């Protein structure tokens, strides 16, 4: 009996084909998959095969890998052509019919001797690799989500996706409780540059401060002349690495000073301090929302050439750089971090008022930097105004047109600078429009100028952490900046944000779940297609971590208006998507804190953290999670307050919302009990502000009568609450100072 059973089972172990011929399928007979098959040959009939409609996951992955490889080869060749270094040789190879694979192999071979050491992150010690890998392990395990989660039903009732999972992906629905891998498996050729031992995410009461993992700095006693010399050397080394070999010499008094840097500002004549602030800006803020081209700006600044440099631009940049310094010279009031950069910003504002024609590249760039600085300080209304001026001037100058005046090196250079200027202004307008919920200034379907090219020797330049103590005496790693790749990918994300804004806010075209899904799918594709060099673990510079935070904030703000809704015919919940995005931002922020501390973060990070923290408040208030994420986010905002004034504003917003929504949580520490106040006085609206980040709005702030001005009312009159009104403060003597007084009858 047993042998009979085994015999039956063995009958089906013959030749099996996944795709039977047409004749065998009709007869429901076994087919051996040959061409022609044995059955058709025996019956003397024509044997035909149809292509399979459904491919296996292995075939699909193989095709995707092939397409990605082809795309990388295309990008590599185009970047080499754009750089001009080997363009003639590449054109000759293309004319001879050589394949892209061959050309790329030759390019890689020709550069291996000069840049091989700069193409991947290297570590000083195994312990450093493991420590940084541990700091990034949670971030690397982030879910990127499937290509589509909404799973619309077809007319017959079947869904295109099963249970919110996209075909061929490993990602379940966000919020399902599973913890899948996040990014496509990497080939052995790429190699993993990290050791990923995942550890539980902890939430300390106070965020890590002053003890970054990325290096060891020299502690400098003020009275020690030898230590002072070592400090100058550390600063000089860092400035030379970040700004170029001709910089950093100001730190050595006896060395020749080839730069004209101090001549660009009247605030200080200390050339070493100017270069120090520039290094801080280019280390921690650049290239996010940057509208200037670093290499050409520095070249003209050093030479005293006003082509791509101006006093207005330099002062604006130095005002931003001061946000990352605690030196007394960086502040107008030495012990008040809120005054950091005020003197340089005042000088930039003075020079801006003197401009007779603002239609210049350096003016547009300066407006963008001034906007970034005001965003950091928490003056959002002024920042949005400056950003709006920047993008309007860029459009008026036609910077969005892809035109090049001739083929000379000078024409190519001018095109690259114009392109960077436009994309910086464009990206800044998108992040502000996304943050406050409005249509952007740029039209919906206009064709945009090409992005600045990726230049290999710029890509491979090293990034080093730079502080008031200069570059580290000993670094835990050496990693390439990949600055052009970061900028290009960041601009591509801004384009999707641009589309999402028109999806959400176009009058006459109400948003639908389908249009929401279309935008969401574009975000997911962007995330899945970012270059390997920009994936977490391969690169962990501040700008890369910031780009990942920006992506998850965009997802959060896309779905936040719909957290009280469910999507018909889908298992996906906007509330769960927002919670997942907020938790991810917290994880990324913890990695950033462990690596660099949060005292040196790009200016928009506090805005992203505010968005995620509000979600944590909602989750806690609805009893869907504990207070751990909220506790961590509040600690993060506290640490960022030393360099970003908006972090303090964000903390007050959270305090107000906790009380307003009756969420039980005390966010004041023992040292802050004296700060307790009626939550009704927090974040009040002001008649001198646009109040974009003011949740505390009373009836008197949106409506008024026709009689005399009552106590506490705004003195302005307007019949339509949601229309704009002039900005006029009535506090103290402000009304009299502006030349007004109240009517008494």
């Amino acid at each position: 009996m047993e042998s009979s059973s085994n015999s039956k089972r063995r009958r089906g172990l013959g030749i099996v084909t996944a795709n039977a011929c047409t004749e065998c399928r009709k007869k429901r007979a076994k087919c051996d998959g040959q061409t022609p098959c044995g059955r058709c040959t025996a019956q003397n009939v024509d044997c035909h095969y149809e292509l399979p409609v459904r491919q296996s996951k292995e075939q699909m992955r193989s095709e995707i890998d092939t397409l990605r490889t082809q795309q990388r080869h295309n990008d590599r060749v185009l970047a080499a052509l754009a750089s001009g270094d080997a363009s003639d040789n590449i054109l000759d190879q293309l004319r001879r019919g050589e394949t892209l694979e061959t050309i790329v192999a030759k390019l890689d071979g020709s550069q291996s001797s000069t840049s091989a050491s700069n193409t991947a992150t290297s570590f000083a010690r195994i312990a450093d690799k493991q420590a940084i890998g541990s700091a990034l392990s949670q971030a690397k395990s982030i879910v990127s989500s499937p290509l589509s989660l909404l799973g619309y039903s077809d007319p017959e009732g079947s869904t295109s996706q099963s249970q919110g999972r996209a075909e061929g992906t490993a990602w379940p629905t966000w919020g399902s409780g599973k913890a899948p891998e996040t990014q496509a498996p990497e080939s052995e050729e790429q190699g993993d540059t990290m050791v990923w031992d995942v550890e539980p995410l902890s939430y300390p009461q106070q965020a890590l401060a002053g003890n970054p993992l990325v290096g060891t700095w020299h502690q400098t006693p003020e009275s020690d002349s030898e230590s002072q010399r070592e400090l100058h050397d550390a600063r000089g080394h860092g400035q030379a690495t970040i700004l170029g070999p001709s910089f950093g010499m100001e730190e050595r008094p006896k060395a020749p000073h080839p730069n004209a840097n101090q001549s660009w500002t009247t605030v200080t004549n200390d050339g070493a301090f100017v270069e120090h602030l520039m290094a801080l800006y280019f280390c921690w803020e650049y290239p996010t929302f940057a509208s200037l081209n670093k290499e050409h700006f520095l070249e003209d600044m050093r030479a005293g050439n006003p082509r791509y440099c101006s006093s207005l631009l330099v002062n604006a940049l130095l005002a931003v750089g001061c946000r990352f310094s605690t030196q007394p010279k960086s502040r107008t009031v030495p012990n008040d971090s809120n005054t950091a950069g005020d003197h340089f910003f005042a000088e930039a504002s003075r020079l801006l008022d003197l401009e007779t024609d603002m239609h210049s590249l350096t003016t547009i760039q300066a407006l963008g930097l001034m906007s970034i600085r005001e965003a950091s300080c928490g003056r959002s209304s002024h920042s949005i105004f400056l950003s709006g001026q920047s993008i309007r001037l860029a459009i008026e100058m036609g910077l969005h047109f892809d035109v090049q005046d001739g083929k000379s090196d000078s024409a190519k250079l001018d095109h690259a600078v114009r392109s960077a200027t436009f994309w910086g202004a464009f990206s800044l307008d998108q992040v502000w429009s996304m943050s406050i919920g409005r249509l952007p200034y740029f039209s919906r379907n206009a064709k945009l100028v090409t992005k600045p090219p990726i230049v290999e020797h710029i890509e491979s330049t090293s990034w080093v952490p730079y502080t008031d103590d200069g570059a580290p005496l000993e670094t835990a790693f050496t990693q390439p900046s990949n600055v052009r790749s970061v900028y290009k990918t960041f601009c591509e994300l801004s384009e999707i944000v641009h589309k999402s804004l028109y999806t959400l806010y176009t009058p006459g075209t109400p948003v639908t779940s389908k249009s929401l899904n279309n935008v969401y799918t574009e975000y997911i594709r962007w995330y899945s297609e970012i270059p390997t060099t920009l994936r977490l673990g391969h690169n962990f510079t501040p700008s890369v971590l910031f780009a990942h935070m920006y992506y998850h904030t965009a997802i959060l703000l896309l779905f936040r208006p719909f957290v009280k809704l469910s999507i018909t015919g889908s298992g996906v919940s906007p509330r769960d998507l927002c919670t997942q995005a907020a938790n991810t931002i917290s994880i990324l922020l913890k990695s950033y804190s462990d690596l660099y501390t949060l005292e040196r973060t790009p200016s928009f990070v506090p805005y992203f953290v505010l968005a995620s923290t509000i979600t944590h408040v909602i989750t806690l208030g609805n009893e869907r999670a504990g207070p751990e994420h909220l506790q961590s986010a509040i600690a993060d905002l506290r640490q960022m307050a030393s360099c970003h004034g908006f972090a303090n504003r964000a903390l007050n917003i959270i305090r107000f919302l906790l009380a307003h929504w009756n969420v039980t949580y005390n966010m004041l520490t023992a040292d802050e009990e004296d700060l307790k106040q009626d939550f009704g006085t927090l974040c009040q609206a002001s008649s001198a502000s646009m109040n974009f980040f003011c949740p505390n709005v009373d009836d008197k702030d949106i409506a008024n009568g026709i009689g005399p001005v009552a106590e506490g009312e705004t003195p302005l009159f307007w019949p339509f609450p949601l229309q704009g009104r002039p900005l006029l403060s009535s506090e103290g003597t402000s009304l009299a100072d502006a030349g007004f007084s109240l009517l008494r009858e």
Side-chain angles (χ1 to χ4, degrees):
M1 188 71 180
E2 184 178 350
S3 62
S4 173
S5 175
N6 288 337
S7 176
K8 287 181 180 180
R9 282 198 296 268
R10 282 195 297 268
R11 265 181 226 156
L13 298 178
I15 300 175
V16 178
T17 178
N19 187 33
C21 71
T22 305
E23 192 67 23
C24 289
R25 290 177 63 191
K26 286 180 182 179
K27 303 293 186 181
R28 295 191 176 182
K30 292 181 180 179
C31 182
D32 59 16
Q34 301 299 316
T35 307
C37 73
R39 189 173 182 281
C40 289
T41 301
Q43 296 185 3
N44 196 25
V45 297
D46 292 335
C47 186
H48 298 287
Y49 287 87
E50 293 180 355
L51 291 175
V53 176
R54 179 174 298 175
Q55 294 175 297
S56 69
K57 290 184 179 180
E58 288 75 20
Q59 289 174 303
M60 294 173 69
R61 290 193 185 103
S62 177
E63 290 182 11
I64 290 172
D65 290 340
T66 301
L67 290 172
R68 284 178 175 166
T69 300
Q70 292 175 352
Q71 184 64 47
R72 284 196 296 269
H73 288 162
N74 290 336
D75 291 343
R76 182 75 172 82
V77 172
L78 289 173
L81 284 170
S83 69
D85 296 335
S87 56
D88 291 338
N89 188 29
I90 294 172
L91 287 173
D92 289 340
Q93 294 175 56
L94 290 170
R95 292 188 185 102
R96 291 196 300 268
E98 294 188 23
T99 64
L100 291 179
E101 291 83 351
T102 303
I103 297 174
V104 169
K106 291 181 179 179
L107 284 171
D108 292 340
S110 65
Q111 294 185 355
S112 61
S113 60
T114 58
S115 63
S117 60
N118 293 325
T119 57
T121 302
S122 59
F123 293 86
R125 296 177 297 270
I126 293 296
D128 294 328
K129 180 177 180 180
Q130 292 176 334
I132 292 177
S134 178
L136 286 166
S137 59
Q138 288 285 335
K140 197 189 179 200
S141 65
I142 288 167
V143 177
S144 68
S145 14
L147 289 179
S148 175
L149 289 177
L150 301 187
Y152 292 101
S153 299
D154 61 23
E156 297 180 1
S158 62
T159 57
S160 58
Q161 322 230 333
S162 175
Q163 299 178 349
R165 174 176 289 191
E167 181 67 19
T169 69
W171 322 128
T173 301
W174 282 35
S176 67
K178 298 182 182 179
E181 57 181 318
T182 69
Q183 296 166 350
E186 298 161 1
S187 66
E188 294 181 1
E189 297 175 358
Q190 294 171 327
D192 195 356
T193 59
M194 298 289 174
V195 175
W196 305 112
D197 296 324
V198 179
E199 299 176 355
L201 181 62
S202 60
Y203 297 94
Q205 181 66 33
Q206 297 295 330
L208 180 68
N211 185 30
L213 294 174
V214 295
T216 303
W217 278 262
H218 183 75
Q219 302 302 313
T220 311
E222 292 293 331
S223 59
D224 190 337
S225 59
E226 179 63 22
S227 294
Q228 286 293 320
R229 185 189 64 77
E230 292 179 358
L231 170 62
H232 289 305
D233 287 343
R235 286 181 181 169
H237 169 66
Q239 292 165 20
T241 303
I242 295 171
L243 304 176
S246 63
F247 290 88
M249 298 182 184
E250 297 281 0
E251 295 289 349
R252 297 187 286 275
K254 296 183 180 180
H257 301 166
N259 303 335
N261 50 38
Q262 66 267 34
S263 65
W264 293 102
T265 180
T266 59
V267 175
T268 179
N269 59 3
D270 186 345
F273 184 56
V274 169
E275 293 189 4
H276 173 63
L277 294 178
M278 288 199 305
L280 287 172
Y281 165 75
F282 283 111
C283 180
W284 302 107
E285 188 80 49
Y286 186 84
T288 57
F289 307 118
S291 55
L292 58 83
N293 189 301
K294 173 184 174 182
E295 292 71 32
H296 304 118
F297 162 76
L298 290 174
E299 179 182 346
D300 284 357
M301 180 186 181
R302 181 184 62 79
N305 186 346
R307 180 182 52 167
Y308 299 128
C309 185
S310 70
S311 293
L312 169 60
L313 178 57
V314 170
N315 280 280
L317 188 151
L318 297 178
V320 179
C322 285
R323 307 299 297 175
F324 305 107
S325 175
T326 59
Q327 289 191 42
K329 289 189 295 183
S330 67
R331 304 169 176 178
T332 55
V333 179
N335 294 325
D336 186 358
S337 62
N338 292 319
T339 66
D342 280 358
H343 39 353
F344 289 108
F345 190 84
E347 176 65 6
S349 299
R350 184 187 72 83
L351 294 171
L352 183 64
D353 290 340
L354 295 176
E355 294 268 317
T356 57
D357 183 8
M358 292 190 178
H359 294 84
S360 71
L361 297 179
T362 53
T363 300
I364 295 172
Q365 295 164 1
L367 284 166
L369 286 169
M370 293 171 74
S371 174
I372 290 171
R373 192 263 179 177
E374 290 295 87
S376 169
C377 294
R379 292 185 279 271
S380 56
S381 295
H382 194 210
S383 175
I384 291 167
F385 165 75
L386 293 167
S387 170
Q389 292 296 297
S390 180
I391 186 62
R392 287 185 180 100
L393 288 169
I395 295 171
E396 290 170 10
M397 287 186 65
L399 300 187
H400 56 295
F401 293 127
D402 206 354
V403 294
Q404 181 172 311
D405 187 15
K407 297 183 179 180
S408 64
D409 291 341
S410 177
K412 293 178 182 178
L413 172 59
D414 191 63
H415 179 270
V417 175
R418 287 169 61 91
S419 173
T421 304
F422 169 78
W423 280 106
F426 175 84
S427 299
L428 187 57
D429 179 47
Q430 306 319 302
V431 74
W432 264 133
S433 299
M434 179 189 77
S435 298
I436 64 175
R438 70 168 190 197
L439 288 174
Y441 284 118
F442 201 74
S443 59
R444 183 171 194 167
N445 297 316
K447 187 176 180 181
L448 304 180
V449 64
T450 55
K451 301 168 187 67
I454 296 176
V455 183
E456 290 297 328
H457 73 272
I458 296 176
E459 281 286 280
S460 61
T461 55
S462 295
W463 180 88
V464 295
Y466 182 86
T467 70
D468 279 339
D469 294 321
L473 292 175
E474 182 180 2
T475 57
F477 61 86
T478 300
Q479 70 171 324
S481 66
N482 295 122
V483 64
R484 290 294 184 92
S485 294
V486 172
Y487 190 71
K488 179 177 180 291
T489 308
F490 192 81
C491 292
E492 291 168 351
L493 177 58
S494 296
E495 287 183 277
I496 305 175
V497 171
H498 180 77
K499 293 179 182 179
S500 74
L501 295 171
Y502 276 98
T503 297
L504 294 174
Y505 305 118
T506 299
T509 310
V511 65
T512 65
S513 60
K514 188 171 183 179
S515 62
L516 202 63
N517 179 56
N518 291 339
V519 174
Y520 182 47
T521 300
E522 288 201 50
Y523 277 125
I524 302 306
R525 284 177 177 158
W526 174 88
Y527 194 88
S528 66
E529 294 173 1
I530 58 176
T532 300
T533 52
L534 269 59
R535 293 195 178 278
L536 296 174
H538 288 270
N539 188 311
F540 46 91
T541 60
S543 58
V544 168
L545 290 170
F546 178 83
H548 285 266
M549 290 185 208
Y550 186 19
Y551 162 77
H552 290 286
T553 304
I555 295 288
L556 191 159
L557 296 181
L558 176 67
F559 284 99
R560 190 171 70 180
F562 311 100
V563 294
K564 294 186 176 183
L565 303 174
S566 60
I567 298 173
T568 305
S570 169
V572 174
S573 164
R575 180 179 60 186
D576 290 343
L577 286 172
C578 289
T579 300
Q580 179 73 44
N583 293 346
T584 299
I585 293 168
S586 296
I587 292 171
L588 287 165
L589 206 63
K590 184 178 187 303
S591 294
Y592 195 109
S593 176
D594 289 348
L595 290 169
Y596 309 115
T597 83
L598 298 180
E599 296 170 355
R600 293 177 287 272
T601 53
S603 296
F604 273 91
V605 169
Y607 292 86
F608 298 167
V609 177
L610 173 61
S612 65
T613 308
I614 291 173
T615 304
H616 296 324
V617 172
I618 296 171
T619 305
L620 177 63
N622 289 327
E623 299 181 349
R624 294 176 56 83
E628 293 82 9
H629 278 291
L630 177 59
Q631 178 182 340
S632 177
I634 290 171
D636 292 338
L637 286 170
R638 292 185 195 281
Q639 189 181 347
M640 283 187 281
S642 64
C643 66
H644 298 304
F646 182 77
N648 282 319
R649 174 76 174 183
L651 287 167
N652 284 333
I653 291 173
I654 298 304
R655 287 177 60 196
F656 173 83
L657 293 178
L658 284 168
H660 182 65
W661 292 336
N662 296 316
V663 179
T664 304
Y665 182 83
N666 181 20
M667 61 179 285
L668 292 179
T669 63
D671 297 335
E672 296 174 328
E673 287 298 322
D674 58 333
L675 298 178
K676 278 188 175 180
Q677 63 187 99
D678 180 8
F679 83 94
T681 64
L682 291 169
C683 306
Q684 289 181 311
S686 168
S687 59
S689 169
M690 300 299 292
N691 299 311
F692 289 122
F693 292 93
C694 179
N696 188 2
V697 179
D698 202 350
D699 289 343
K700 69 180 186 303
D701 298 316
I702 59 176
N704 54 20
I706 61 174
V709 178
E711 175 118 11
E713 276 189 346
T714 175
L716 296 173
F717 173 79
W718 70 105
F720 301 103
L722 298 183
Q723 289 187 2
R725 57 186 175 184
L727 300 181
L728 176 65
S729 175
S730 58
E731 297 179 0
T733 62
S734 299
L735 207 60
D737 294 342
F740 296 98
S741 62
L742 294 176
L743 286 174
R744 295 303 178 185
E745 56 181 40

